[in-house]
């Protein structure tokens, strides 16, 4: 058993802590936000929509697709272990486009072919009549693509359950603690130094001083309560200017997202973004007209230049997991498992090298 100290309690830090405890390690988790304070301002994870949709993400590489699919396969057992099986929506994803944007759908299908996602295996193509029979509220689209494997989960519930489990498992959770510097076996904080067998930096954009190529990609979304909307599964609308998605949540709540803007601004949603997201949702289902806006959220996704996540080591020897970009909720289980494997191998090797 080793002692692992983790900086940052977003989805990545919490999932890694959870996985480490399950493997029998001792964990210290250092987080700048305090317990009970509004966590929303402190990390991208509290803003995410919770789409677990590797197949329908636009602009992904084959490598990212493979990672997403492998991580999605870990999610059912993970959600179950967190007691969230009932909130894990496995209803698949419907991809649609308005008639004037039909070219967007064809472009999307060309991308599917490049990624070797084949009709009949990864998705089904539905004619207007088949769509009307299967999901009448979308019949205005005159056809759709359906991806049965896509799923979603409410990220805030995952974050809460992870915290509950970590505290029950005697994780040394230190809130109100700001990490100042990391070395291979110690982390300096504003409350003193923590020593461990291995250290991992999961601070997202908080790690910018060490990872200078990290950038923020702003995302905004709107949550509504819409009793007149009867969409049981995820919907993606292909559009020339934005890629809209609608995520159904319990009690007729829906998350409508998300913008993608190259900016570090974590301020409130702009009028333009709110108008575009809500108009697009209304164009998918007229029942959104009477929906009530419950919340708007905005934050920045931590991204590296190639928009791929990375498990690496800082010059001083501390590990980092960062650059989760648009896929952090989806990829967290796979990255946690892989990071832990690398860390265990290296720690064992370094220990046996010690004279
Ligand atoms: C609008 C929007 C929608 C999204 N939708 C999805 C989605 O549907 N599916 C999906 O898979 N992904 C989605 N994402 C992406 C996902 O949210 C991110 O990839 C993920 O949250 C990144 O997690 P993280 O743990 O690396 O970083 P963060 O969540 O940012 O966590 C970093 C943590 O480190 C802490 N910290 C920072 N600095 C310090 C310090 N010095 N000392 C101590 N602690 C520190 C912060 O307080 C924070 O708690 C979305 C993102 C946005 C913005």
């Amino acid at each position: 058993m080793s002692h692992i100290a983790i900086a940052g309690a977003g989805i990545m830090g919490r999932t890694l802590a959870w996985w480490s405890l399950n493997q029998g390690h001792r964990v210290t988790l250092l987080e700048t936000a305090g317990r009970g304070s509004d966590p929303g301002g402190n990390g991208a994870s509290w803003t995410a929509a919770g789409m677990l949709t590797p197949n329908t993400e636009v602009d992904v590489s084959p490598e990212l697709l493979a990672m997403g699919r492998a991580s999605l396969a870990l999610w059912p057992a993970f959600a179950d272990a967190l007691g969230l099986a009932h909130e894990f929506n496995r209803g698949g994803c419907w991809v649609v486009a308005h008639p004037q944007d039909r070219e967007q759908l064809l472009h999307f299908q060309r991308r599917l072919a490049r990624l070797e996602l084949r009709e009949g295996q990864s998705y089904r193509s539905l004619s207007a009549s088949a769509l009307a029979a299967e999901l009448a509220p979308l019949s205005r689209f005159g056809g759709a693509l359906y991806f049965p494997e896509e799923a979603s989960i409410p990220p805030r519930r995952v974050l809460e359950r992870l915290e509950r489990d970590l505290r029950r498992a005697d994780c040394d959770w230190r809130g109100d603690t700001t990490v100042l510097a990391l070395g291979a076996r110690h982390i300096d904080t504003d409350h003193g130094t923590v020593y461990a067998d291995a250290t991992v930096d999961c601070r997202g954009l908080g790690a910018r001083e060490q990872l200078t190529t990290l950038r923020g990609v702003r995302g905004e979304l709107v949550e509504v309560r819409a009793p007149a909307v009867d969409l049981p599964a995820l919907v993606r609308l292909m559009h020339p200017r934005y890629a809209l998605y609608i995520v159904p949540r319990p009690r007729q709540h829906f998350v409508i997202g998300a913008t993608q803007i190259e900016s570090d601004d974590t301020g409130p949603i702009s009028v333009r973004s709110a108008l575009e997201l809500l108009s697009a949702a209304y164009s998918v289902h007229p029942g959104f007209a009477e929906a009530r806006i419950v919340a708007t959220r905005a934050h920045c996704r931590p991204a590296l230049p190639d928009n791929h996540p990375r498990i690496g080591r800082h010059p001083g020897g501390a590990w980092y997991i960062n650059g989760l970009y648009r896929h952090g909720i989806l990829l967290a289980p796979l990255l946690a498992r892989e990071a832990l494997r690398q860390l265990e191998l290296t720690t064992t090797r370094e220990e046996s090298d010690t004279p």
Side-chain angles (χ1 to χ4, degrees):
M1 182 183 93
S2 305
H3 177 202
I4 302 175
I6 301 169
I11 189 68
M12 197 60 251
R14 285 174 203 226
T15 306
L16 179 65
W18 191 91
W19 230 267
S20 305
L21 285 162
N22 276 353
Q23 298 291 311
H25 299 292
R26 195 155 68 80
V27 174
T28 300
L29 187 55
L30 306 159
E31 166 59 46
T32 195
R35 195 180 187 186
S37 63
D38 172 20
N42 289 300
S45 305
W46 294 92
T47 303
M51 302 267 288
L52 308 176
T53 52
N55 302 295
T56 53
E57 278 293 327
V58 280
D59 295 333
V60 291
S61 65
E63 183 195 355
L64 205 48
L65 173 67
M67 289 176 73
R69 289 171 70 103
S71 203
L72 179 58
L74 299 175
W75 260 104
F78 188 35
D80 204 23
L82 294 174
L84 291 175
H86 60 294
E87 300 200 40
F88 183 54
N89 186 328
R90 306 180 75 173
C93 181
W94 298 85
V95 179
V96 293
H98 290 295
Q100 67 272 23
D101 301 327
R102 206 71 200 153
E103 181 53 34
Q104 300 301 314
L105 206 54
L106 296 175
H107 176 70
F108 179 68
Q109 277 185 286
R110 287 195 286 272
R111 165 210 166 270
L112 295 173
R114 276 199 304 278
L115 291 170
E116 297 185 12
L117 294 174
R118 300 190 200 296
E119 188 173 344
Q121 288 174 359
S122 304
Y123 70 98
R124 284 190 289 131
S125 183
L126 284 92
S127 65
S129 57
L131 180 60
E134 285 204 37
L135 196 58
L138 294 184
S139 56
R140 71 176 50 77
F141 287 100
L145 305 180
Y146 177 64
F147 293 76
E149 288 170 13
E150 307 291 73
S152 68
I153 194 151
R156 288 177 170 233
R157 300 282 291 138
V158 175
L159 293 164
E160 286 161 9
R161 286 298 169 97
L162 282 168
E163 177 165 353
R164 183 199 67 179
D165 283 8
L166 291 175
R167 289 187 190 275
R168 278 185 187 164
D170 284 335
C171 170
D172 177 14
W173 183 303
R174 303 194 194 174
D176 283 323
T177 301
T178 299
V179 168
L180 305 173
L182 295 97
R185 296 193 181 207
H186 74 276
I187 299 184
D188 294 330
T189 78
D190 57 349
H191 286 78
T193 300
V194 174
Y195 295 92
D197 300 309
T199 61
V200 189
D201 185 357
C202 297
R203 288 177 296 160
L205 286 172
R208 264 202 233 183
E209 267 186 36
Q210 285 73 26
L211 272 176
T212 49
T213 55
L214 205 56
R215 72 185 199 285
V217 181
R218 179 174 162 84
E220 302 154 300
L221 46 79
V222 182
E223 186 174 339
V224 300
R225 193 172 62 80
V229 175
D230 44 356
L231 293 173
L234 299 165
V235 176
R236 276 191 192 273
L237 176 69
M238 293 293 142
H239 188 277
R241 280 211 315 282
Y242 40 78
L244 176 98
Y245 54 71
I246 300 172
V247 186
R249 286 280 159 73
R251 295 177 294 283
Q252 275 154 328
H253 281 231
F254 294 87
V255 173
I256 300 164
T259 56
Q260 177 154 323
I261 302 163
E262 290 289 333
S263 161
D264 288 336
D265 177 7
T266 55
I269 190 169
S270 70
V271 169
R272 177 186 174 154
S273 296
L275 284 171
E276 285 188 351
L277 289 172
L278 291 171
S279 317
Y282 174 60
S283 79
V284 171
H285 195 301
F288 280 114
E290 294 305 321
R292 301 302 155 122
I293 296 173
V294 175
T296 61
R297 295 191 232 287
H299 215 288
C300 287
R301 310 165 176 102
L304 288 163
D306 61 0
N307 291 337
H308 281 54
R310 195 178 305 150
I311 300 172
R313 292 186 91 166
H314 290 311
W319 289 86
Y320 66 81
I321 314 174
N322 216 319
L324 276 59
Y325 184 45
R326 292 173 59 102
H327 321 286
I329 310 300
L330 170 65
L331 295 178
L334 184 79
L335 291 172
R337 197 181 67 172
E338 176 56 21
L340 201 54
R341 196 184 61 80
Q342 292 189 28
L343 211 123
E344 281 169 344
L345 279 177
T346 318
T347 311
T348 313
R349 204 164 48 231
E350 285 172 2
E351 269 164 13
S352 64
D353 287 348
T354 309

